[in-house]
Amino acid sequence: KPRVVAGRSAIEGTGAFAASALSARRKIGELDGELVSVRTARARARGRKRVHIVEFDARHALDATCLLY
């Protein structure tokens, strides 16, 4: 099981960091949200200070922003 610790992040204030080396493609957590188009995700992100969006390809994105605030 990978060791992950919380620490100070210049991006968000607090972040999750690997405390030891991780192998490529190693799963350390799960992110849930709404599957939307990239166009919709980018429109939702516009003007926001914080977003939690992952773009998978040119058409699909996961928007987890609404679940966190």
Side-chain angles (χ1 to χ4, degrees):
K1 182 175 178 181
R3 197 162 152 250
V4 180
V5 296
R8 181 113 173 95
S9 167
I11 297 171
E12 184 66 32
T14 302
F17 299 90
S20 58
L22 300 174
S23 58
R25 304 182 71 77
R26 173 75 168 140
K27 181 178 177 179
I28 61 168
E30 191 170 305
L31 182 65
D32 193 14
E34 181 183 0
L35 188 61
V36 296
S37 69
V38 168
R39 174 184 271 175
T40 297
R42 291 180 181 178
R44 289 179 179 181
R46 217 173 280 121
R48 298 191 90 156
K49 185 175 179 179
R50 294 183 179 132
V51 295
H52 300 276
I53 295 173
V54 178
E55 292 184 12
F56 297 113
D57 54 37
R59 294 179 39 209
H60 303 97
L62 182 75
D63 183 0
T65 305
C66 62
L67 300 176
L68 299 171
Y69 299 102

